[in-house]
Amino acid sequence: MEVLVNNELYAVQQGTTIAALLQFIQITTHKGIAVAINNQVIPKASWADKPLNNADNVTIIRATQGG
C-alpha cells in the first residue's frame, strides 16, 4: 500500500503503524515530533497501535528551537 508522508510517496506493508513508519523513514527520536494522519493529530501514546491505511496523508512536524 502507499502513503503520502510530507508530500513524499512511500510503499509500506499493510498494517504498518505510525511507530513502524517513523523507524522505516529513519526518524529515531520521537522527542519534539508531532504526527497527523489526514489532518488529525495522533497522540504519541497511540503511535505503536495506530495502523496506517492505503492513501493516508501523513504529516510529520518537528519542533525546532529559535528566537
Side-chain angles (χ1 to χ4, degrees):
M1 72 178 192
E2 295 181 332
V3 294
L4 193 64
V5 181
N6 291 357
N7 297 320
E8 269 189 63
L9 198 58
Y10 286 90
V12 297
Q13 292 183 355
Q14 187 73 28
T16 297
T17 63
I18 294 172
L21 174 69
L22 293 174
Q23 185 176 23
F24 177 70
I25 61 176
Q26 299 179 342
I27 296 178
T28 55
T29 181
H30 295 170
K31 188 173 184 179
I33 300 273
V35 176
I37 298 177
N38 303 322
N39 296 318
Q40 180 180 353
V41 175
I42 307 300
K44 193 175 288 192
S46 299
W47 291 1
D49 302 321
K50 176 71 173 156
L52 299 171
N53 295 307
N54 190 45
D56 273 347
N57 185 356
V58 181
T59 304
I60 301 171
I61 301 169
R62 286 186 199 225
T64 58
Q65 295 181 348

